[in-house]
């Protein structure tokens, strides 16, 4: 239902010199931790062998070998654990913003102005409270993400398509998510002219989930809304032909809901 896997293969925005420096620092720290851990493991094994040799006169050979092996294995396990901890710390330092020890604030996303402008246009031309939240998904190519109120969704969709500055004329994907506390419809749209895409999210009540259909705005939403209705039970008022698309009409329930219980356990 989603082409996110293809999108995530694309390159992220250009890295800043600070993030490159932090990345290199993380790699150096991980390399040093591995070298240190290996040296400690070798030293521990050598010490265990020396201790076993010194006590060889009083300890039977098989017992000495067992003690040496056990001591070496324990030391090696500890060294490996230390190396894993060092790698985890390096990854955490790299994730925390890539600023190293400089203490500099994190640079804003290159897509932040694009997101801010979209929010401004929607609030000016649709409704001041149409946008609930707007964020940048840095892990997905700094993708602009807007959370839209359900009651303003149909009007917002038409505006996004018709506005000359945005011109979001193609719906790439529409899917649904059951968060157990609520349902959510996730929509990916793109301007084929400007090569800019957005993610739009619309929350729905879980007991009676309903989100206005955008099939009249983007025809590609037709079968995708039917699939979400079929598998999650989200209603799309305004859809021209809302019925099941994957399961038979007499199927009981919606299989992708978290509370779904199969009518026939053998199916």
């Amino acid at each position: 239902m989603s082409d996110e896997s293809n999108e995530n293969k694309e390159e992220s925005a250009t890295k800043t010199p600070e993030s490159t420096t932090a990345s290199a620092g993380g790699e150096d720290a991980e390399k040093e931790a591995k070298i240190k851990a290996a040296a400690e493991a070798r030293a521990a094994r050598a010490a265990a062998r020396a201790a076993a040799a010194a006590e060889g006169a009083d300890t039977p050979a098989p017992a000495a070998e067992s003690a040496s092996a056990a001591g070496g294995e324990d030391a090696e396990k500890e060294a490996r654990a230390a190396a894993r901890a060092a790698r985890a710390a390096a990854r955490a330092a790299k994730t925390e913003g890539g600023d190293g020890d400089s203490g500099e604030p994190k640079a804003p996303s290159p897509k932040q102005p694009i997101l801010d402008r979209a929010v401004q246009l929607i609030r000016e031309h649709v409704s001041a409270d149409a946008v609930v939240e707007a964020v940048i998904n840095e892990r997905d190519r700094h993708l602009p993400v807007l959370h839209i109120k359900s009651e303003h969704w149909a009007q917002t969709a038409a505006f996004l398509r018709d506005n000359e500055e945005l011109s979001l004329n193609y719906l790439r994907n529409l899917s649904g998510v059951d968060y157990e506390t609520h349902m959510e419809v996730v929509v990916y749209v793109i301007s084929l002219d400007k090569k800019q895409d957005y993610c739009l999210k619309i929350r729905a009540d879980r007991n009676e989930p309903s989100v206005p259909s955008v099939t009249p705005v983007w025809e590609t939403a037709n079968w995708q809304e039917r699939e979400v209705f079929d598998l999650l039970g989200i209603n799309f008022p305004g859809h021209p032909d809302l019925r099941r698309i994957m399961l038979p009409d007499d199927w009981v329930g919606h299989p992708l809901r978290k509370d779904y219980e199969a009518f026939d356990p053998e199916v």
Side-chain angles (χ1 to χ4, degrees):
M1 291 172 62
S2 171
D3 58 0
E4 286 184 79
S5 59
N6 292 329
E7 294 177 3
N8 288 335
K9 293 180 182 178
E10 300 178 13
E11 289 294 328
S12 300
T14 305
K15 294 182 179 179
T16 62
E18 292 83 356
S19 63
T20 304
T21 303
S23 176
E27 292 175 0
D28 291 342
E30 183 176 344
K31 184 176 180 181
E32 290 175 3
K34 288 180 180 179
I35 294 173
K36 182 179 178 181
E40 290 175 353
R42 287 194 297 271
R45 288 195 295 270
R49 286 195 295 269
E55 297 174 2
D58 300 323
T59 307
E65 289 178 3
S66 296
S68 175
E73 288 176 1
D74 291 342
E76 189 169 355
K77 287 180 181 178
E78 292 178 2
R80 288 178 179 173
R84 286 196 297 270
R87 288 195 296 271
R91 286 195 297 270
K94 200 182 299 183
T95 304
E96 283 175 358
D99 292 326
D101 298 327
S102 65
E104 296 179 2
K106 185 177 180 181
S109 167
K111 297 290 185 70
Q112 190 64 48
I114 295 174
L115 175 65
D116 293 342
R117 180 57 177 161
V119 172
Q120 179 186 2
L121 289 171
I122 293 171
R123 287 176 174 167
E124 288 178 356
H125 296 276
V126 178
S127 174
D129 65 343
V131 180
V132 179
E133 184 183 12
V135 297
I136 293 290
N137 184 349
E138 295 184 358
R139 295 187 175 184
D140 188 6
R141 305 168 292 109
H142 288 254
L143 179 70
V145 180
L146 295 91
H147 295 249
I148 308 296
K149 275 192 175 181
S150 181
E151 57 264 36
H152 297 299
W153 172 228
Q155 186 180 354
T156 300
F159 172 75
L160 294 175
R161 180 197 62 187
D162 298 335
N163 179 263
E164 293 183 1
E165 186 174 340
L166 297 173
S167 186
L168 297 173
N169 47 19
Y170 182 66
L171 184 146
R172 306 175 71 172
N173 178 265
L174 184 149
S175 58
V177 185
D178 180 0
Y179 284 105
E180 294 188 277
T181 57
H182 65 279
M183 295 287 193
E184 194 169 79
V185 173
V186 183
V187 180
Y188 289 85
V189 290
I190 186 172
S191 170
L192 297 178
D193 305 319
K194 304 178 185 301
K195 305 296 187 271
Q196 176 59 51
D197 54 346
Y198 297 79
C199 174
L200 308 167
K201 297 185 177 183
I202 307 92
R203 180 177 290 199
D205 177 73
R206 191 169 188 276
N207 295 326
E208 296 182 4
S210 178
V211 173
S213 173
V214 288
T215 297
V217 179
W218 296 294
E219 291 185 5
T220 49
N222 190 325
W223 285 12
Q224 297 183 61
E225 287 181 340
R226 286 180 58 188
E227 185 176 352
V228 173
F229 166 73
D230 191 359
L231 300 179
L232 284 164
I234 298 178
N235 189 35
F236 291 93
H239 191 285
D241 185 27
L242 190 62
R243 54 191 172 90
R244 290 191 184 271
I245 191 171
M246 301 181 72
L247 300 173
D249 292 336
D250 59 352
W251 189 274
V252 178
H254 305 278
L256 290 188
R257 285 182 62 103
K258 298 291 179 63
D259 58 358
Y260 174 72
E261 294 183 7
F263 182 73
D264 183 351
E266 296 183 1
V267 175

